[in-house]
Amino acid sequence: MVNLNQEQIAQPTATNMFNKKNDLLSTAMKRTSEWIFSQEIPSDVTVRAGGTSFSLHKFPLVSKCGYIRKLVSESTDTDLAVIDIPGIPGGAEAFELAAKFCYGINFEISTENIAMLRCVAEYLEMTEDHAVGNLVERTEKYLHGVALKSLAGAVTILHSSEILLPLAEKVKLVSRCIDMIAFVACRDSHFSASGRAESDKNDSISSKSSMSNTKPVVEWWAEDLTVLRIDFFQRVLIAMMARGFKQNALGPILMLYAQKSLRGLEIFGKGRKKIEAREEHEKRVVLETIVSLLPREKNAMSISFLSMLLRAAIHLETTVACRLDLEKRMALQLGQAVLDDLLIPSYSFTGDTLFDVETVQRIMVNYLEYEMEGNRSGYNADEEYISSSQSDMECVTRLMESYLAEIASDRNLSVSKFISLAELIPEQSRITEDGMYRSIDIYLKAHPALSDMERKKACSVMDCQKLSREACAHAAQNDRLPVQTVVQVLYYEQQRLREVMDSSLNDSPSLPSKPNKFSIEIHPVLDELSTLRKENQDLKLELVKMKMRLKEIAKSDDPKASFGSPSGNRLSFDKPPLPRKSFISSISKTIGRFIWADGIVPQSAKRRNKPSKDRRHSIS
């Protein structure tokens, strides 16, 4: 029993003696270093670190730096005079601060230099095994007690760690900073959302004021995060989402980061700048990463921002997947687009069109596919899409009519491209054909050398019986239209006048109304006709998609073909198997049957549209 008590007493006594010994040794080394420094004793070693030479003394360095102690002890030269430290993290500045610490010279530790100090301390092995209160311990205390207590400090340290890899990863500086940023951002976002919900519960506020409440919360850490490198920025956002941050709230952060990181990239037409290969690669990586982080919900991103990203993607020649992803996201927001969002310039110098028509065509095809899928189920497989209202479809129709009229004046726009884009304009939303007529008139005026057959094809996308009286009056005197089209316009106008006259003669209030068998049966007929029209639209969409695929296959067979790329790098799609001839023939026959059921004359591609009433009918 006595022996046990003696052992228990002996252990703390031995520990205390060891600590006292280390303290005395540390104090002795500090005094020795101060004495050496004050007496200006000639240096006995030259340390070359970070491209700079330092004239120092072995004793204070060896006493705290395990790395230098190992070099001295393992050296065959008994009077080692030069020590090389290659690849020291932080370079000459970091080593100078570490040397000052060895000499006991005071300097300030801050969030700006803590990452550098922590890494150089790890590299030089300045641990407790060599001295009490060494630099590793001092930097860790500052990190836990000061630097990682705020989001701004964590962002500053993370930004400083970009040039300290891989050592910054080894000492877990990067992971700790990312966890801290994600924690603070999610915590403040949660409190902000709770405050807004409580405010909405107590009193009614408008959506505009609600957006203004969220803006300051988003801005303060969004601005801080824009200094990070793209890989660290991506890891921060992933960590935030892992902690429950809503993906659709990432939009403002991504917009700010993209605007800053893609700054200086002129992407409009002839004024675009030629950037260096390295900078171009960096911007391409940034853009592709941002696209991969975009929210997938509808209306989560501004279509103007998506349009800007798409133009940059075309200019930087990003991957096919990146461009197609942006096109699909733009299709989701197409109902909120304006004309400028779709006026994507062509970057080919081979005499092609001024605008990238094929990109807009793919966006429109994606939109119609989403619309078809939304009409069936309301959502797609990823729950990204809710079927748009009729007003959205009408907005898209007017937008595409405006786009068609804008590009119609391009002298390099072929008839096939003009027709393929016009055929995509939704038929059910075209109440009149005035907008389509205006586009055709502009196209014919800009292309006076077209043959009669080409002019007929261009006019075939217009349903003459849906023109307004003003448009009919203009078309009847338009010598740019083919004769057959003018005859159709006059015929339908005469038929319309006859119907108006017959209805006015038959409209007598004195005669008793009798039940009309035809009026009773008209509703089922109209429903069937509406169904046929919808199936007709679906089949035409499939044909357009098939034509686009065949066009891409033809381009892939041509080694000189390019896909919107000034350098000729082709971005090709997956090659589908060629459809069988019998399948195309059956579709053609079915479409012909639907078209005959839909109208009076067998026009191959009729569409309907509702333009704004104050729009001009011609450029003349």
Side-chain angles (χ1 to χ4, degrees), residues 5 19-20 45 51 54 76-77 79 152 165 202 236 269 306 320 333 342 366 372 404 432 498 536 566:
N5 291 335
N19 291 335
K20 288 181 179 180
V45 66
F54 298 88
T76 57
D77 187 359
D79 191 16
L165 297 175
N202 295 335
V236 168
L306 294 175
V320 175
Q333 321 295 335
L342 299 183
N366 285 325
M372 291 165 55
L404 193 63
T432 69
R498 187 183 299 113
N536 190 11

mmCIF file of all heavy atoms in Angstrom, residues 5 19-20 45 51 54 76-77 79 152 165 202 236 269 306 320 333 342 366 372 404 432 498 536 566:
data_model
loop_
_atom_site.group_PDB
_atom_site.id
_atom_site.type_symbol
_atom_site.label_atom_id
_atom_site.label_comp_id
_atom_site.label_asym_id
_atom_site.label_seq_id
_atom_site.Cartn_x
_atom_site.Cartn_y
_atom_site.Cartn_z
ATOM 1 N N ASN A 5 1.222 4.262 -3.091
ATOM 2 C CA ASN A 5 1.138 5.701 -2.861
ATOM 3 C C ASN A 5 2.407 6.399 -3.322
ATOM 4 O O ASN A 5 2.363 7.515 -3.859
ATOM 5 C CB ASN A 5 0.908 5.976 -1.365
ATOM 6 C CG ASN A 5 -0.495 5.515 -0.936
ATOM 7 O OD1 ASN A 5 -1.385 5.450 -1.755
ATOM 8 N ND2 ASN A 5 -0.625 5.195 0.353
ATOM 9 N N ASN A 19 8.393 19.250 -17.100
ATOM 10 C CA ASN A 19 7.886 20.535 -17.591
ATOM 11 C C ASN A 19 8.793 21.681 -17.161
ATOM 12 O O ASN A 19 9.071 22.601 -17.932
ATOM 13 C CB ASN A 19 6.465 20.775 -17.082
ATOM 14 C CG ASN A 19 5.466 19.826 -17.728
ATOM 15 O OD1 ASN A 19 5.712 19.331 -18.837
ATOM 16 N ND2 ASN A 19 4.352 19.561 -17.040
ATOM 17 N N LYS A 20 9.237 21.627 -15.908
ATOM 18 C CA LYS A 20 10.133 22.677 -15.429
ATOM 19 C C LYS A 20 11.436 22.669 -16.221
ATOM 20 O O LYS A 20 11.975 23.723 -16.555
ATOM 21 C CB LYS A 20 10.417 22.476 -13.937
ATOM 22 C CG LYS A 20 9.227 22.794 -13.038
ATOM 23 C CD LYS A 20 9.590 22.593 -11.578
ATOM 24 C CE LYS A 20 8.418 22.937 -10.662
ATOM 25 N NZ LYS A 20 8.763 22.739 -9.233
ATOM 26 N N VAL A 45 25.980 30.148 -40.206
ATOM 27 C CA VAL A 45 25.288 29.361 -41.222
ATOM 28 C C VAL A 45 24.498 30.296 -42.132
ATOM 29 O O VAL A 45 23.989 31.341 -41.692
ATOM 30 C CB VAL A 45 24.347 28.314 -40.575
ATOM 31 C CG1 VAL A 45 23.209 28.986 -39.836
ATOM 32 C CG2 VAL A 45 23.805 27.338 -41.624
ATOM 33 N N GLY A 51 14.431 31.525 -52.553
ATOM 34 C CA GLY A 51 15.214 32.393 -53.404
ATOM 35 C C GLY A 51 15.950 33.484 -52.675
ATOM 36 O O GLY A 51 16.509 34.392 -53.307
ATOM 37 N N PHE A 54 19.726 33.908 -45.983
ATOM 38 C CA PHE A 54 19.655 34.475 -44.639
ATOM 39 C C PHE A 54 20.921 34.078 -43.881
ATOM 40 O O PHE A 54 21.263 32.891 -43.798
ATOM 41 C CB PHE A 54 18.420 33.957 -43.888
ATOM 42 C CG PHE A 54 17.105 34.329 -44.519
ATOM 43 C CD1 PHE A 54 16.532 33.523 -45.505
ATOM 44 C CD2 PHE A 54 16.447 35.481 -44.131
ATOM 45 C CE1 PHE A 54 15.329 33.855 -46.064
ATOM 46 C CE2 PHE A 54 15.227 35.813 -44.707
ATOM 47 C CZ PHE A 54 14.667 35.002 -45.684
ATOM 48 N N THR A 76 27.627 15.183 -43.295
ATOM 49 C CA THR A 76 29.000 14.680 -43.149
ATOM 50 C C THR A 76 30.001 15.802 -42.922
ATOM 51 O O THR A 76 31.122 15.575 -42.473
ATOM 52 C CB THR A 76 29.395 13.892 -44.405
ATOM 53 O OG1 THR A 76 29.254 14.741 -45.559
ATOM 54 C CG2 THR A 76 28.522 12.644 -44.577
ATOM 55 N N ASP A 77 29.565 17.008 -43.229
ATOM 56 C CA ASP A 77 30.420 18.177 -43.042
ATOM 57 C C ASP A 77 30.287 18.635 -41.600
ATOM 58 O O ASP A 77 29.207 19.044 -41.155
ATOM 59 C CB ASP A 77 30.007 19.291 -44.005
ATOM 60 C CG ASP A 77 30.977 20.470 -43.978
ATOM 61 O OD1 ASP A 77 31.950 20.398 -43.198
ATOM 62 O OD2 ASP A 77 30.747 21.439 -44.733
ATOM 63 N N ASP A 79 31.467 21.210 -40.227
ATOM 64 C CA ASP A 79 31.290 22.657 -40.144
ATOM 65 C C ASP A 79 30.357 23.106 -41.262
ATOM 66 O O ASP A 79 30.748 23.817 -42.178
ATOM 67 C CB ASP A 79 32.648 23.359 -40.256
ATOM 68 C CG ASP A 79 32.536 24.844 -39.909
ATOM 69 O OD1 ASP A 79 31.507 25.221 -39.301
ATOM 70 O OD2 ASP A 79 33.446 25.600 -40.256
ATOM 71 N N ALA A 152 -15.529 35.551 -42.164
ATOM 72 C CA ALA A 152 -14.533 36.349 -42.887
ATOM 73 C C ALA A 152 -13.125 35.819 -42.655
ATOM 74 O O ALA A 152 -12.314 35.733 -43.587
ATOM 75 C CB ALA A 152 -14.627 37.810 -42.458
ATOM 76 N N LEU A 165 -0.779 24.552 -50.978
ATOM 77 C CA LEU A 165 -1.107 23.138 -51.168
ATOM 78 C C LEU A 165 0.152 22.367 -51.559
ATOM 79 O O LEU A 165 1.052 22.930 -52.185
ATOM 80 C CB LEU A 165 -2.181 22.995 -52.256
ATOM 81 C CG LEU A 165 -3.536 23.645 -51.947
ATOM 82 C CD1 LEU A 165 -4.447 23.524 -53.149
ATOM 83 C CD2 LEU A 165 -4.169 23.029 -50.717
ATOM 84 N N ASN A 202 -47.127 37.322 -39.200
ATOM 85 C CA ASN A 202 -47.707 38.430 -38.437
ATOM 86 C C ASN A 202 -48.391 39.442 -39.327
ATOM 87 O O ASN A 202 -49.454 39.942 -39.007
ATOM 88 C CB ASN A 202 -46.623 39.123 -37.600
ATOM 89 C CG ASN A 202 -46.085 38.188 -36.539
ATOM 90 O OD1 ASN A 202 -46.754 37.254 -36.109
ATOM 91 N ND2 ASN A 202 -44.839 38.425 -36.119
ATOM 92 N N VAL A 236 -16.957 24.595 -51.082
ATOM 93 C CA VAL A 236 -17.743 25.325 -50.079
ATOM 94 C C VAL A 236 -19.228 25.171 -50.348
ATOM 95 O O VAL A 236 -20.021 24.896 -49.429
ATOM 96 C CB VAL A 236 -17.338 26.818 -50.067
ATOM 97 C CG1 VAL A 236 -18.337 27.636 -49.252
ATOM 98 C CG2 VAL A 236 -15.943 26.986 -49.465
ATOM 99 N N GLY A 269 -19.611 39.475 -80.833
ATOM 100 C CA GLY A 269 -19.280 39.786 -82.211
ATOM 101 C C GLY A 269 -17.829 40.147 -82.465
ATOM 102 O O GLY A 269 -16.895 39.537 -81.974
ATOM 103 N N LEU A 306 -28.356 33.125 -67.758
ATOM 104 C CA LEU A 306 -28.100 31.893 -68.489
ATOM 105 C C LEU A 306 -27.658 32.181 -69.914
ATOM 106 O O LEU A 306 -26.787 31.495 -70.461
ATOM 107 C CB LEU A 306 -29.363 31.023 -68.494
ATOM 108 C CG LEU A 306 -29.818 30.475 -67.138
ATOM 109 C CD1 LEU A 306 -31.145 29.747 -67.285
ATOM 110 C CD2 LEU A 306 -28.768 29.558 -66.537
ATOM 111 N N VAL A 320 -19.501 19.724 -74.982
ATOM 112 C CA VAL A 320 -20.865 19.609 -75.496
ATOM 113 C C VAL A 320 -21.860 19.506 -74.343
ATOM 114 O O VAL A 320 -22.931 20.107 -74.367
ATOM 115 C CB VAL A 320 -20.976 18.384 -76.429
ATOM 116 C CG1 VAL A 320 -22.413 18.183 -76.875
ATOM 117 C CG2 VAL A 320 -20.072 18.552 -77.627
ATOM 118 N N GLN A 333 -36.693 28.454 -68.880
ATOM 119 C CA GLN A 333 -36.992 29.853 -68.581
ATOM 120 C C GLN A 333 -37.434 30.629 -69.822
ATOM 121 O O GLN A 333 -37.518 31.850 -69.777
ATOM 122 C CB GLN A 333 -35.741 30.543 -68.004
ATOM 123 C CG GLN A 333 -34.917 29.713 -67.054
ATOM 124 C CD GLN A 333 -35.637 29.364 -65.772
ATOM 125 O OE1 GLN A 333 -36.539 30.072 -65.367
ATOM 126 N NE2 GLN A 333 -35.249 28.274 -65.137
ATOM 127 N N LEU A 342 -31.887 35.856 -76.919
ATOM 128 C CA LEU A 342 -31.754 34.848 -77.967
ATOM 129 C C LEU A 342 -30.884 35.295 -79.132
ATOM 130 O O LEU A 342 -30.575 34.486 -80.007
ATOM 131 C CB LEU A 342 -33.143 34.461 -78.503
ATOM 132 C CG LEU A 342 -34.113 33.855 -77.492
ATOM 133 C CD1 LEU A 342 -35.403 33.464 -78.175
ATOM 134 C CD2 LEU A 342 -33.504 32.660 -76.786
ATOM 135 N N ASN A 366 -36.165 21.863 -76.993
ATOM 136 C CA ASN A 366 -36.205 21.466 -75.577
ATOM 137 C C ASN A 366 -37.450 22.011 -74.893
ATOM 138 O O ASN A 366 -38.089 21.318 -74.089
ATOM 139 C CB ASN A 366 -34.953 21.973 -74.862
ATOM 140 C CG ASN A 366 -33.716 21.174 -75.210
ATOM 141 O OD1 ASN A 366 -33.791 19.971 -75.417
ATOM 142 N ND2 ASN A 366 -32.581 21.828 -75.289
ATOM 143 N N MET A 372 -44.620 19.253 -73.843
ATOM 144 C CA MET A 372 -45.325 17.995 -74.101
ATOM 145 C C MET A 372 -45.315 17.103 -72.864
ATOM 146 O O MET A 372 -46.325 16.516 -72.496
ATOM 147 C CB MET A 372 -44.679 17.275 -75.280
ATOM 148 C CG MET A 372 -44.878 17.961 -76.627
ATOM 149 S SD MET A 372 -43.754 17.319 -77.901
ATOM 150 C CE MET A 372 -44.120 15.569 -77.825
ATOM 151 N N LEU A 404 -37.634 35.436 -85.280
ATOM 152 C CA LEU A 404 -37.649 35.090 -86.694
ATOM 153 C C LEU A 404 -37.593 36.340 -87.563
ATOM 154 O O LEU A 404 -36.896 36.367 -88.584
ATOM 155 C CB LEU A 404 -38.904 34.276 -87.003
ATOM 156 C CG LEU A 404 -38.951 33.552 -88.346
ATOM 157 C CD1 LEU A 404 -37.848 32.508 -88.435
ATOM 158 C CD2 LEU A 404 -40.312 32.900 -88.548
ATOM 159 N N THR A 432 -53.444 34.593 -85.003
ATOM 160 C CA THR A 432 -53.343 35.180 -86.332
ATOM 161 C C THR A 432 -51.966 34.887 -86.892
ATOM 162 O O THR A 432 -51.052 34.496 -86.164
ATOM 163 C CB THR A 432 -53.567 36.710 -86.297
ATOM 164 O OG1 THR A 432 -52.454 37.330 -85.636
ATOM 165 C CG2 THR A 432 -54.862 37.062 -85.579
ATOM 166 N N ARG A 498 -67.919 36.874 -97.676
ATOM 167 C CA ARG A 498 -69.168 36.187 -97.968
ATOM 168 C C ARG A 498 -69.804 35.657 -96.694
ATOM 169 O O ARG A 498 -71.026 35.737 -96.507
ATOM 170 C CB ARG A 498 -68.908 35.044 -98.954
ATOM 171 C CG ARG A 498 -70.190 34.364 -99.453
ATOM 172 C CD ARG A 498 -69.891 33.184 -100.363
ATOM 173 N NE ARG A 498 -69.167 33.622 -101.544
ATOM 174 C CZ ARG A 498 -67.922 33.283 -101.802
ATOM 175 N NH1 ARG A 498 -67.255 32.512 -100.936
ATOM 176 N NH2 ARG A 498 -67.306 33.707 -102.894
ATOM 177 N N ASN A 536 -50.550 16.295 -84.577
ATOM 178 C CA ASN A 536 -49.805 16.835 -85.712
ATOM 179 C C ASN A 536 -48.580 17.611 -85.246
ATOM 180 O O ASN A 536 -47.481 17.463 -85.784
ATOM 181 C CB ASN A 536 -50.738 17.735 -86.532
ATOM 182 C CG ASN A 536 -50.127 18.140 -87.863
ATOM 183 O OD1 ASN A 536 -49.111 17.595 -88.274
ATOM 184 N ND2 ASN A 536 -50.740 19.095 -88.530
ATOM 185 N N PRO A 566 -14.866 28.982 -83.827
ATOM 186 C CA PRO A 566 -13.955 29.660 -84.737
ATOM 187 C C PRO A 566 -12.710 28.881 -85.057
ATOM 188 O O PRO A 566 -12.087 29.086 -86.078
ATOM 189 C CB PRO A 566 -13.622 30.958 -83.982
ATOM 190 C CG PRO A 566 -13.876 30.652 -82.556
ATOM 191 C CD PRO A 566 -14.999 29.658 -82.557
#
